[in-house]
């Protein structure tokens, strides 16, 4: 029988390397105590024959599918805010470790996530799961832990094995940035109270406002672009509108930006907007000031943590500190601008707040932080011979 056109088998590799099929299996699966010389001979034989191990055979022998599942709950999938950078990191790390990756996304009508995951667990299609956290995830994680299915939660908190961003610190950074620019009427477009991530970001915003002696201003709603648009419309058409918005995520901040443009509110001249995260799906948020973390690195760490759990190793939870990326959507409030403001000039986007003295003819500007703008823009200064009384919009 002519075997030249069939795929190489493990027996062909063993024959070419001059070893047993068991030795070939041990070498290719990184098991057993094989001498380096023999292992190298086996690998060269497998490469020469273009041998690929049979996945079904490995599953029968080792009880592992070498596949990881990413569970995306309907609440996340429906918002269009799937963490794309995190997914890219997961794919990269899985490929590096020899694992496949599949997305497990139950239908929105399938409210019982536990039942869905029960079917996946019984099918043994995956060796472990990365779960994107939402309010309904706790029961699912408890089920997987009871069934001894290794899992890691992205965005979760104890008692799970989790990887998370310091949402409280990130919200503080966003609010402090707006406060340092001189904003005082800062509204937080918060997420639902049932969402743990939204709760943490609300807490960071509230603490930053209270630290400056200001009352928090919060509106609650879904974490979607349409919700951001609707809530912003109500705020900007009210008699007392905010000068700045801190949105719970990128989708909500994009809705706020779109609404401001539709009703003729200039961003950032008349309204500053800060979002949280860069996971905007198909949206381009390159202009938006945001609180961010390295999504690619997060995905890689999630995969590494899960693979270690699959192999029975101890894993420590991780919380990373986000950073503030200042872009084009934040600036000094209109309070500081004069009728002579040139829209073509750059907006002050960093540094400490501009503070105006209430004495006519006097203008103070405190020393700026290192790396910030230290000069008062030309548009901020009164015309020659004019006093502060002629520039009422400068007053606090």
């Amino acid at each position: 029988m002519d075997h030249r056109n069939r795929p190489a088998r493990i027996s062909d590799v063993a024959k070419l390397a001059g070893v047993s099929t068991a030795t070939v299996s041990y070498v290719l699966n990184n098991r057993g105590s094989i001498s380096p010389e023999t292992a190298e001979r086996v690998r060269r034989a497998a490469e020469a024959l273009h041998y690929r191990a049979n996945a079904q055979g490995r599953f029968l022998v080792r009880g592992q599918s070498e596949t990881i599942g990413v569970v995306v709950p309907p609440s996340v999938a429906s918002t269009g805010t799937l963490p794309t950078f995190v997914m890219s990191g997961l794919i990269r790390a899985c490929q590096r470790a020899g694992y496949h990756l599949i997305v497990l996304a139950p239908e929105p009508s399938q409210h019982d996530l536990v039942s869905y995951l029960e079917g996946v667990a019984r099918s043994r299609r995956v060796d472990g799961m990365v779960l994107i956290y939402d309010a309904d995830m706790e029961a699912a994680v408890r089920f997987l832990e009871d069934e001894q299915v290794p899992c890691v939660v992205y965005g979760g908190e104890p008692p799970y094995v989790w990887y998370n961003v310091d949402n409280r610190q990130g919200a503080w950074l966003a609010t402090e940035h707006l406060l340092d620019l001189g904003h005082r009427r800062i509204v937080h477009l918060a997420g639902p109270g049932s969402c743990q991530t939204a709760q943490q970001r609300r807490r960071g915003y509230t603490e930053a406002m209270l630290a400056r002696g200001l009352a928090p201003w919060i509106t609650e709603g879904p974490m979607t672009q349409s919700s951001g648009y609707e809530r912003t419309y109500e705020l900007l058409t009210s008699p007392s509108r905010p000068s700045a918005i801190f949105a719970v995520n990128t989708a909500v901040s994009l809705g706020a930006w779109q609404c401001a443009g539709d009703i003729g509110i200039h961003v950032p001249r008349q309204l500053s907007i800060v979002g949280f995260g860069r996971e905007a799906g198909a949206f381009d948020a390159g202009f938006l000031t945001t609180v961010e973390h390295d999504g690619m690195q997060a995905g890689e760490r999630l995969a590494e943590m899960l693979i270690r759990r699959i192999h029975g190793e101890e894993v420590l939870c991780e919380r990373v500190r986000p950073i503030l990326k200042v872009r084009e959507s934040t600036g000094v409030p209109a309070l500081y601008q004069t009728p002579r403001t040139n829209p073509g000039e750059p907006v002050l986007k960093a540094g400490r707040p501009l503070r105006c003295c209430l004495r006519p003819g006097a203008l103070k500007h405190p020393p700026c932080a290192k790396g910030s703008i230290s000069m008062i823009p030309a548009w901020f200064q009164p015309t020659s011979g004019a006093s502060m009384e002629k520039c009422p919009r400068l007053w606090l």
Side-chain angles (χ1 to χ4, degrees):
M1 180 177 179
D2 187 2
H3 299 301
R4 288 177 297 178
N5 295 325
R6 65 166 173 77
R9 296 173 179 171
I10 191 171
S11 57
D12 300 325
V13 177
K15 183 178 181 180
L16 181 60
V19 297
S20 67
T21 56
T23 300
V24 174
S25 177
Y26 284 142
V27 171
L28 298 182
N29 289 291
N30 297 315
R31 303 173 64 188
S33 300
I34 308 298
S35 67
E37 296 80 8
T38 302
E40 180 64 21
R41 193 164 68 249
V42 169
R43 293 192 184 97
R44 288 182 178 178
E47 184 178 353
L49 296 173
H50 303 288
Y51 173 74
R52 295 293 180 270
N54 184 278
Q56 293 180 345
R58 284 201 307 269
F59 177 76
L60 291 174
V61 173
R62 301 168 58 185
Q64 294 182 350
S65 62
E66 296 186 347
T67 301
I68 288 174
V70 181
V71 181
V72 182
S75 60
V76 174
S78 62
T79 64
T81 57
L82 184 68
T84 51
F85 293 107
V86 175
M87 293 295 295
S88 298
L90 280 165
I91 293 171
R92 176 185 295 182
C94 286
Q95 290 178 341
R96 191 164 56 233
Y99 277 78
H100 303 287
L101 188 72
I102 63 173
V103 176
L104 304 171
E107 293 289 335
S109 58
Q110 190 169 357
H111 299 293
D112 190 356
L113 183 60
V114 173
S115 298
Y116 174 82
L117 294 181
E118 184 178 359
V120 175
R122 289 179 176 176
S123 69
R124 303 178 71 184
R125 287 185 292 167
V126 297
D127 297 332
M129 302 184 196
V130 174
L131 300 97
I132 309 299
Y133 183 86
D134 81 338
D136 300 324
M137 193 62 69
E138 295 184 10
V141 177
R142 285 197 300 269
F143 165 77
L144 294 176
E145 293 287 355
D146 292 342
E147 294 294 317
Q148 297 184 343
V149 177
C151 63
V152 176
V153 182
Y154 175 57
E157 291 289 338
Y160 319 121
V161 175
W162 49 268
Y163 181 99
N164 202 359
V165 182
D166 194 334
N167 291 291
R168 177 182 170 188
Q169 175 67 19
W172 175 283
L173 289 174
T175 310
E176 280 286 302
H177 169 63
L178 294 171
L179 289 167
D180 285 349
L181 287 173
H183 293 279
R184 294 299 178 264
R185 298 185 58 79
I186 305 171
V187 63
H188 176 39
L189 303 185
S194 58
C195 177
Q196 189 179 65
T197 297
Q199 290 177 3
Q200 294 167 353
R201 294 176 185 178
R202 180 187 305 202
R203 183 178 178 185
Y205 158 81
T206 301
E207 290 175 350
M209 293 290 284
L210 293 177
R212 298 288 187 99
L214 300 173
W217 185 1
I218 299 173
T219 69
E220 183 178 309
M223 298 166 64
T224 62
Q225 185 174 3
S226 60
S227 173
Y229 188 103
E230 294 168 0
R231 285 187 277 170
T232 301
Y233 183 84
E234 293 180 3
L235 291 165
L236 297 183
T237 55
S238 65
S240 181
R241 72 189 190 197
S243 68
I245 289 175
F246 166 49
V248 66
N249 66 0
T250 308
V252 173
S253 62
L254 286 170
W257 171 79
Q258 182 182 1
C259 176
D262 287 349
I263 63 178
I265 301 296
H266 189 280
V267 177
R269 296 284 175 186
Q270 296 171 289
L271 178 71
S272 289
I273 301 175
V274 180
F276 202 118
R278 288 272 291 171
E279 310 300 349
F283 299 107
D284 178 13
F287 63 91
L288 189 66
T289 295
T290 55
V291 177
E292 302 176 9
H293 70 289
D294 191 334
M296 184 75 74
Q297 182 183 34
E300 292 182 355
R301 288 296 300 135
L302 283 165
E304 292 167 1
M305 291 168 69
L306 181 57
I307 292 172
R308 288 183 61 187
R309 289 206 74 189
I310 291 172
H311 293 163
E313 300 177 22
E314 183 179 358
V315 175
L316 298 178
C317 301
E318 295 185 23
R319 179 185 282 112
V320 296
R321 292 174 61 89
I323 59 174
L324 179 71
K325 290 285 189 178
V326 179
R327 299 189 180 90
E328 306 301 321
S329 66
T330 54
V332 296
L335 177 71
Y336 295 116
Q337 302 176 26
T338 73
R340 297 176 56 251
T341 298
N342 179 6
E345 292 189 20
V347 180
L348 181 65
K349 295 183 293 182
R352 294 189 177 185
L354 293 170
R355 303 185 188 278
C356 296
C357 179
L358 297 183
R359 298 193 309 273
L363 182 63
K364 289 185 178 180
H365 182 235
C368 288
K370 182 179 180 181
S372 63
I373 300 174
S374 60
M375 297 296 294
I376 300 174
W379 53 260
F380 187 83
Q381 304 178 20
T383 56
S384 176
S387 66
M388 293 293 286
E389 292 94 338
K390 295 182 180 181
C391 300
R393 294 181 66 192
L394 285 169
W395 301 115
L396 289 174

